[in-house]
Amino acid sequence: MNEPTWRKPAGVLAILVLLTLWAIGVAMLSGVIGGWHWLLQLGFYLIAGIAWLWILPMRAMLRWMETGHWR
């Protein structure tokens, strides 16, 4: 069994900070985005919520937490 490392708690903290900042940023844009057609809003929130926040940065963060390598 592997010895626990500092990467996992640091990674969890970084994920929580990133989520908080991302939510604040999207909430600040809600006034502008709220005036868009609902299909454009749907597209924006799908891209902002899934592709940019979870798939791209979190994948690398989780890999780093497990292995210590970004790639």
Side-chain angles (χ1 to χ4, degrees), residues 13-35:
L13 182 61
I15 289 170
L16 291 174
V17 169
L18 181 60
L19 282 170
T20 302
L21 293 175
W22 193 260
I24 290 169
V26 171
M28 289 174 59
L29 292 173
S30 67
V32 174
I33 296 165

Side-chain angles (χ1 to χ4, degrees), residues 57-70:
M58 293 303 162
R59 185 174 171 190
M61 177 67 75
L62 293 171
R63 185 180 308 118
W64 173 78
M65 288 168 58
E66 288 294 324
T67 65
H69 303 290
W70 289 104

